[in-house]
Amino acid sequence: MRRYSPAHLFEVSRTAHLIVVPTRFVQVETVLTIDRLRVSRGGSLVLNNVTAEVASGRVAGLLGASGSGKSTLMRSIVGVQRIDSGKITVLNLPAGAKELRRKVGYVSQSPAVYLDLTVIENLNYFSSIFALHDTRVEEVLERVSLSGARKQLASSLSGGQRARLSLALALLPSPAILVLDEPTVGLDPLLREELWDHFHELASQGCTLLVSSHVMDEAERCDDLVLLRDGQVIFHSSPANLKASTEADNLDSAFLTLAKRAKNEF
Amino acid sequence: MSSRRIFATAKRLLEQLRHDPRTVLLLLAVPLVLMILLRYLFGSQLVEFNQLAPMLIALFPFTIMFVVTSIAMLRERMTGTLERLLTSPISKLEILLGYGLGFGILAVLQVALVLLLTFGPLDMRISGSISMLLVFSVLDALMGTALGLLLSAFANSEFQAVQFLPAFIFPQMLLSGIFIPRDQMPQALRYLSDLLPLSYAIDGASRTSLTKIWTLASSIDLSVVVIAIPLALALGALTLKRQTN
């Protein structure tokens, strides 16, 4: 879906009734489109009519309280969530398509690593699944600063180290899109800062990131925001627009304003 | 289908076990201890021991592998690593074949040790073929692995997975001919036992240790076991859901 994007310049967001202020007049490629997605789990509706877009090379933040449907949306994007209706298109393919499994990296909320394997054994296993060169494992180890812990069992790693190992496994095949479910939870501020720098570095290399968080101060570091509340998108634009439209000077109060506004509409 | 990914998965399983020596020790030592127990239970009744032991040599690895595999797969599902694999290029069948290969290697080791012990220090004598008994026992262990993988898809917790042993394996054991020869069972139970793969696994081990003569019945036993393994794996790949609620 390559196009010059007047749509991005003046499009009025249907869900949030906000005018999107022009950012850059450049060629924009939409790599992720979510169209009227509905998902229910255990009989209750978790995602209700979610529509959103993410452009290439951006760091998009998916924000919302716990239980707002962030993880379910992310699982739907990587194709492991059964959906009721709607359409998700990733790199012009339906979500979960076989061709996407090398191109979309996913890091779930709790680190999905083999606790009874060492760091290097974890990486080597996924490296052979993706048929990668050995040097790639070293690169990624360096990248997430786990070189010193390579021979350590994953079970003996700290929470932060485990999260980084989980991220490393997703980074291995150099995916075009990274879907990260609360990657900075429980990390100290310094490490969190480092990770966000790393996310932007990846984005500058052309990778598109979708990062979920329930901490509003992380929203500042995103290029685009999708705010979820009770399974519905209540805002979809840039952090600057969020502040402008709600006349709030921080994102927390902006979120409050939006949540109240959404409530009043019912 | 990529053999690289299958081998990588088998290697990964064995690496996991290497970091868990106690499990390996249990896996390899428990059948040996059970055989020693059985031998001394029978004391001087060598004829009976020689008759029963081959069936148990086939049964123990089957049961142990069934439990170990279903728990291993369940753990993979619960820790999220299965989901990670399912979003990677590895196919469901490759995952299962990797498991089969990894645990298969372990099964060969397990059965070989049991045979060394029983035919060595425990002084077991059979008039049939030791190598065919080895073949049947390893195939039975593989069948246990395959069935464990298949059934683990239906367990949502360790509690449920462990219950599959009494719920799924014990009835097969009762009907397999170890306790009462299958031709002496009531008609209905006889038919039921004909439907269960373990019956053929036990029959095969028992028949091949009684005589070196290969009969049609031996061929049937072998074929059923050989077919049951890929069938269970294929069904396992079908029941392993990429998309879940």
Side-chain angles (χ1 to χ4, degrees):
Chain A
M1 258 181 267
R2 185 175 285 269
R3 62 169 192 229
Y4 292 92
S5 81
H8 256 236
L9 290 176
F10 300 113
E11 191 184 38
V12 176
S13 162
R14 252 172 301 163
T15 43
H17 312 290
L18 290 167
I19 294 168
V20 177
V21 178
T23 45
R24 277 177 295 180
F25 194 68
V26 286
Q27 193 180 348
V28 175
E29 198 182 351
T30 306
V31 289
L32 170 64
T33 315
I34 301 156
D35 185 23
R36 285 165 291 172
L37 179 69
R38 283 171 72 93
V39 177
S40 48
R41 296 179 76 176
S44 63
L45 202 58
V46 180
L47 292 177
N48 186 3
N49 211 22
V50 168
T51 295
E53 271 188 4
V54 178
S56 171
R58 311 277 276 182
V59 180
L62 180 60
L63 282 98
S66 138
S68 58
K70 300 189 298 289
S71 297
T72 306
L73 181 55
M74 293 193 138
R75 294 184 73 245
S76 308
I77 292 167
V78 295
V80 293
Q81 173 67 49
R82 206 171 290 151
I83 66 173
D84 297 353
S85 63
K87 213 172 112 191
I88 307 174
T89 312
V90 184
L91 300 167
N92 295 326
L93 290 163
K98 208 171 177 185
E99 299 89 327
L100 288 175
R101 285 185 208 140
R102 293 180 170 277
K103 295 177 182 160
V104 181
Y106 168 53
V107 180
S108 55
Q109 206 167 342
S110 56
V113 300
Y114 293 102
L115 293 176
D116 45 3
L117 288 184
T118 62
V119 168
I120 193 82
E121 285 167 346
N122 266 291
L123 283 158
N124 281 339
Y125 177 44
F126 282 94
S127 166
S128 32
I129 284 180
F130 287 103
L132 303 172
H133 205 269
D134 285 348
T135 53
R136 180 66 191 149
V137 169
E138 291 305 319
E139 265 172 45
V140 171
L141 258 183
E142 200 67 43
R143 186 81 264 192
V144 299
S145 333
L146 279 177
S147 299
R150 62 170 65 228
K151 292 231 169 86
Q152 236 173 294
L153 278 180
S155 58
S156 73
L157 297 176
S158 72
Q161 285 176 316
R162 260 183 229 182
R164 277 182 286 153
L165 175 58
S166 192
L167 176 65
L169 297 179
L171 289 176
L172 268 179
S174 318
I177 298 180
L178 260 178
V179 179
L180 309 175
D181 201 351
E182 308 229 7
T184 58
V185 156
L187 297 187
D188 70 62
L190 195 69
L191 214 53
R192 191 187 288 195
E193 188 64 24
E194 265 175 40
L195 265 185
W196 275 101
D197 288 342
H198 182 202
F199 295 161
H200 282 283
E201 197 187 319
L202 285 169
S204 70
Q205 292 159 6
C207 180
T208 307
L209 291 94
L210 182 64
V211 186
S212 79
S213 172
H214 66 271
V215 197
M216 288 305 284
D217 60 0
E218 293 196 323
E220 306 262 11
R221 302 223 49 184
C222 300
D223 302 322
D224 294 302
L225 290 179
V226 176
L227 264 61
L228 271 185
R229 188 169 184 278
D230 291 337
Q232 284 185 305
V233 176
I234 57 169
F235 180 82
H236 184 9
S237 184
S238 70
N241 284 334
L242 176 62
K243 284 186 187 174
S245 72
T246 56
E247 291 167 349
D249 50 7
N250 66 59
L251 285 160
D252 260 332
S253 54
F255 188 82
L256 267 176
T257 311
L258 283 170
K260 280 177 189 156
R261 205 181 278 172
K263 218 175 191 173
N264 290 338
E265 277 172 21
F266 282 108
Chain B
M1 183 85 77
S2 143
S3 56
R4 185 193 67 248
R5 292 195 282 260
I6 297 171
F7 283 124
T9 304
K11 178 168 165 266
R12 184 262 294 175
L13 269 175
L14 294 175
E15 278 171 348
Q16 284 179 294
L17 285 169
R18 195 164 53 85
H19 292 296
D20 185 4
R22 197 181 301 173
T23 295
V24 178
L25 185 71
L26 282 168
L27 272 172
L28 298 180
V30 166
L32 301 180
V33 174
L34 289 175
M35 289 316 290
I36 294 171
L37 202 63
L38 187 75
R39 176 68 186 82
Y40 286 101
L41 200 61
F42 277 90
S44 56
Q45 297 167 279
L46 273 176
V47 180
E48 286 80 1
F49 173 74
N50 288 337
Q51 215 167 28
L52 186 63
M55 294 194 242
L56 295 185
I57 288 173
L59 178 72
F60 291 154
F62 169 84
T63 315
I64 295 170
M65 283 302 163
F66 174 85
V67 177
V68 170
T69 323
S70 51
I71 297 279
M73 195 46 156
L74 182 74
R75 205 169 54 156
E76 180 119 44
R77 196 142 50 90
M78 293 177 84
T79 55
T81 47
L82 182 63
E83 191 167 84
R84 165 156 255 153
L85 287 177
L86 292 175
T87 58
S88 84
I90 196 169
S91 75
K92 294 185 282 185
L93 193 60
E94 284 165 356
I95 298 175
L96 295 184
L97 288 174
Y99 262 80
L101 180 63
F103 282 122
I105 291 170
L106 203 64
V108 172
L109 199 62
Q110 192 186 43
V111 171
L113 286 176
V114 169
L115 291 181
L116 276 176
L117 174 80
T118 45
F119 286 101
L122 295 188
D123 229 11
M124 185 165 110
R125 295 278 177 272
I126 58 169
S127 35
S129 150
I130 298 180
S131 51
M132 276 319 288
L133 181 59
L134 174 75
V135 169
F136 265 105
S137 305
V138 169
L139 286 173
D140 292 358
L142 274 174
M143 192 168 81
T145 300
L147 288 174
L149 288 172
L150 171 60
L151 281 188
S152 73
F154 301 101
N156 288 321
S157 68
E158 285 93 340
F159 284 138
Q160 290 177 12
V162 169
Q163 290 300 316
F164 282 152
L165 183 64
F168 189 78
I169 300 297
F170 286 5
Q172 287 202 65
M173 231 164 79
L174 291 176
L175 293 170
S176 69
I178 296 180
F179 299 99
I180 293 176
R182 295 207 302 131
D183 48 19
Q184 290 169 29
M185 285 177 190
Q187 201 68 19
L189 292 182
R190 173 72 214 258
Y191 288 144
L192 188 58
S193 87
D194 280 346
L195 294 174
L196 302 172
L198 187 64
S199 308
Y200 299 89
I202 300 292
D203 270 2
S206 160
R207 223 188 297 275
T208 193
S209 46
L210 282 176
T211 167
K212 282 201 168 73
I213 301 163
W214 189 262
T215 60
L216 177 66
S218 322
S219 300
I220 292 173
D221 292 336
L222 191 66
S223 326
V224 169
V225 176
V226 166
I227 292 168
I229 297 167
L231 191 68
L233 286 176
L235 282 174
L238 284 178
T239 51
L240 198 64
K241 288 281 176 274
R242 197 176 289 280
Q243 289 189 336
T244 51
N245 278 320

